[in-house]
């Protein structure tokens, strides 16, 4: 079952063997080479800025155009696919990062995640009072974003063990993943110009999967008072294919319905359109394979399954809030959702929540127990949209293996 039927057409960047770097479009097990297509003159009905962007070595120039350009290109690609397009077998391609990511912001948009994590650290007061008003986020580190498949080195850092009165320095003993969705900024906004929520999605080019690897012991010791720092910045993995907002159009859903008694969002974070279709009905899954499972040729073990539509805050609200102080977003910037968790126990998006900070370990099919990740563990994220009467489209996979110490 492919994630990439013709209704999807996600963009990525790849190298075909020893050949030059091209932008590509995934179609089932093949890639349409957009550089070759542009150079062959097959895009000559399109504006010169679109043709130039298609021949580039990253998606930034294409992202910098407008939704009208993106729609026109997609329509032309659909036409081309009924002819004899230049296709490369996906198995011959080496995938490269889709964009030069200038800035990376990670939000905290799942109220279930925020409540579960809060209850571990502050049992009496799990959800801080600002949560229902402010889309909480922190500025992540763009330089350590890596592509799916890159090995993850266990970071060293400062942490204070339970009962200890001074911190220790050494390899983290609480390495975790976070199941997240990422949004690539397209056109962007000028410094000083806030983006109104009504047009916020015009600034979004498309989506990928994000694994925000986290060292919980380092994070717990350092996070007050200024938030996450070295417990997060050692690595973040993204998937190689960027699924456009246009492809996701049929899978939009009403925004998470705030329970009775919750405050309404402030006006700059509210619009009728956002309430009716601000969410995306996208199933998200996490699988683990330990070194022992691989040695015994065992199938991956599913740790959780959730849905992006359970987020308390939408991507439009994230963009409107991020720019509300005049902060400029630029083409290729990445906004991540924060860990996606739902109400049910099966939909908790990280080990911190699943094992309740190690108190309740997960048993793998080998009998191995996991409080947090061990060296050799491979984590794979998947995301896909599925609705009756519609084709399934997906984001592909986002994998990383903890390097052997
Ligand atoms: Mn995160």
């Amino acid at each position: 079952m492919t994630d990439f039927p013709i209704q999807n057409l996600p963009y990525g960047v790849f190298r075909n063997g020893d050949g030059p770097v091209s932008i590509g479009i995934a179609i089932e097990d093949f890639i349409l080479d957009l550089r070759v297509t542009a150079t062959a003159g097959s895009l000559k009905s399109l504006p010169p800025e679109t043709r130039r962007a298609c021949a580039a070595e990253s998606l930034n120039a294409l992202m910098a155009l407008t939704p009208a350009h993106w729609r026109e290109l997609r329509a032309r690609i659909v036409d081309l696919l009924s002819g004899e397009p230049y296709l490369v077998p996906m198995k011959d391609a080496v995938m490269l990062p889709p964009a030069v990511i200038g800035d990376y912001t990670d939000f905290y948009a799942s109220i279930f995640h925020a409540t579960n994590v809060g209850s571990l650290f502050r049992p009496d007061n799990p959800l801080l009072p600002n949560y229902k008003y402010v889309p909480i986020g922190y500025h992540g580190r763009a330089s350590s974003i890596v592509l799916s498949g890159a090995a993850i080195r266990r970071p060293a850092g400062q942490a204070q063990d339970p009962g200890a009165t001074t911190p220790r320095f050494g390899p983290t003993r609480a390495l975790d993943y976070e199941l997240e969705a990422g949004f690539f900024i397209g056109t962007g906004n000028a410094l000083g110009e806030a983006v109104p929520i009504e047009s916020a999605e015009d600034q979004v080019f498309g989506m990928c999967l994000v694994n925000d690897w986290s060292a919980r012991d380092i994070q717990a010791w350092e996070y007050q008072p200024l938030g996450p720092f070295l417990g997060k910045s050692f690595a973040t993995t993204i998937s190689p294919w960027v699924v456009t907002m246009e492809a996701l159009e049929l899978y939009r859903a009403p925004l998470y319905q705030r329970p009775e008694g919750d405050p309404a969002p402030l006006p700059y974070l509210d619009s009728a359109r956002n309430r009716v279709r601000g969410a995306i009905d996208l199933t998200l899954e996490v699988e683990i394979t330990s070194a022992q499972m691989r040695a015994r040729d065992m199938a991956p073990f599913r740790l959780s399954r959730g849905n992006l539509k359970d987020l308390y805050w939408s991507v439009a609200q994230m963009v409107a809030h991020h720019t509300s102080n005049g902060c400029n977003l630029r083409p290729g910037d990445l906004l991540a959702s924060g860990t996606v968790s739902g109400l049910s126990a099966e939909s908790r998006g990280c080990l911190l929540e699943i094992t309740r900070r190690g108190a309740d370990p997960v048993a793998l099919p080998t009998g191995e127990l996991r409080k947090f990740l061990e060296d050799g563990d491979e984590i794979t994220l998947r995301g896909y949209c599925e609705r009756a009467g519609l084709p399934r489209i997906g984001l592909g996979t986002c994998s990383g293996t903890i390097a052997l110490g």
Side-chain angles (χ1 to χ4, degrees):
M1 187 167 33
T2 180
D3 274 356
F4 309 129
I6 192 171
Q7 292 86 354
N8 191 346
L9 304 179
Y11 292 94
V13 172
F14 74 104
R15 187 192 294 276
N16 182 8
D18 296 330
V21 173
S22 293
I23 294 175
I25 295 179
I27 300 146
E28 298 185 3
D29 297 328
F30 293 88
I31 301 175
L32 172 76
D33 189 320
L34 214 50
R35 184 185 51 80
V36 170
T37 307
T39 345
S42 304
L43 304 178
K44 60 179 183 296
S45 59
L46 300 178
E49 63 272 24
T50 306
R51 297 201 303 266
R52 271 196 303 275
C54 288
E57 295 193 349
S58 81
L59 288 170
N60 294 69
L62 185 59
M63 289 167 165
L65 301 177
T66 67
H69 287 90
W70 307 332
R71 278 193 296 273
E72 194 181 29
L73 174 59
R74 182 179 169 91
R76 178 69 192 125
I77 297 299
V78 170
D79 278 353
L80 277 176
L81 288 173
S82 61
E84 286 177 15
Y86 184 74
L87 297 176
V88 175
M90 204 177 269
K91 63 175 172 43
D92 296 342
V94 177
M95 297 307 297
L96 299 168
V100 179
I101 300 172
D103 273 301
Y104 159 48
T105 304
D106 194 21
F107 282 89
Y108 198 52
S110 162
I111 195 169
F112 301 108
H113 172 69
T115 306
N116 290 339
V117 171
S119 70
L120 294 171
F121 292 89
R122 296 176 304 272
D124 306 334
N125 182 24
L127 198 66
L128 293 170
N130 58 0
Y131 189 85
K132 293 173 180 177
Y133 292 95
V134 186
I136 300 289
Y138 70 94
H139 290 291
R141 185 77 198 164
S143 66
S144 52
I145 295 176
V146 297
L147 199 63
S148 178
I152 301 302
R153 236 185 283 179
R154 179 178 297 271
Q158 255 193 55
Q160 191 167 59
D161 294 325
T165 51
T166 52
R168 63 178 168 82
F169 182 88
T172 176
R173 296 172 190 168
L175 185 54
D176 201 355
Y177 61 86
E178 290 192 331
L179 167 63
E180 305 197 14
F183 296 90
F184 276 103
I185 294 299
T187 323
N189 59 303
L191 181 61
E193 286 178 16
V195 176
I197 189 158
E198 288 79 10
S199 59
E201 282 201 20
D202 291 348
Q203 308 294 327
V204 182
F205 180 80
M207 280 188 65
C208 67
L209 294 163
V210 176
N211 183 342
D212 177 25
W213 303 99
S214 301
R216 301 303 186 188
D217 44 1
I218 300 172
Q219 185 186 355
W221 173 237
E222 74 178 2
Y223 89 105
Q224 287 175 318
L226 284 184
F229 184 29
L230 302 186
K232 299 278 193 177
S233 61
F234 59 94
T236 305
T237 305
I238 61 170
S239 57
W241 293 105
V242 182
V243 172
T244 63
M245 298 311 282
E246 198 178 349
L248 293 164
E249 192 56 39
L250 295 171
Y251 308 90
R252 301 307 295 257
L255 189 61
Y256 171 78
Q257 177 118 31
R258 294 183 170 216
E260 195 80 26
D262 276 18
L266 294 176
Y268 82 100
L269 293 174
D270 194 18
S271 77
R273 186 174 163 80
N274 187 55
R275 285 192 295 270
V276 173
R277 52 160 323 274
I280 302 168
D281 184 0
L282 177 89
T283 302
L284 288 163
E285 297 176 351
V286 185
E287 288 173 350
I288 187 170
T289 316
S290 68
Q292 202 183 119
M293 288 170 70
R294 276 195 303 281
R296 291 164 61 177
D297 216 13
M298 296 167 80
F301 176 75
R302 195 170 72 222
L303 288 167
S304 71
R305 176 186 280 161
N307 195 299
L308 195 63
K309 71 176 170 11
D310 291 338
L311 293 185
Y312 198 80
W313 298 104
S314 68
V315 63
Q317 288 170 319
M318 293 177 210
V319 169
H321 183 64
H322 204 313
T323 62
S324 62
N325 66 345
C327 175
N328 50 329
L329 298 176
R330 295 176 295 186
D333 283 1
L334 183 68
L335 307 189
S337 60
T339 307
V340 181
S341 295
L343 181 60
S344 72
E346 295 71 43
S347 60
R348 294 177 183 154
C350 61
L351 283 175
L352 177 68
E353 287 173 77
I354 294 173
T355 70
R356 299 198 52 79
R357 208 179 181 180
D360 189 9
V362 183
L364 304 184
T366 47
E368 297 170 277
L369 294 180
R370 284 293 178 275
K371 296 177 176 179
F372 290 103
L373 297 172
E374 300 287 340
D375 293 352
D377 285 352
E378 179 177 29
I379 291 292
T380 298
L381 314 182
R382 291 173 201 285
Y384 53 88
C385 300
E386 237 172 9
R387 272 188 184 178
L390 291 178
R392 169 199 156 111
I393 67 169
L395 301 177
T397 58
C398 178
S399 294
T401 303
I402 312 305
L404 295 171

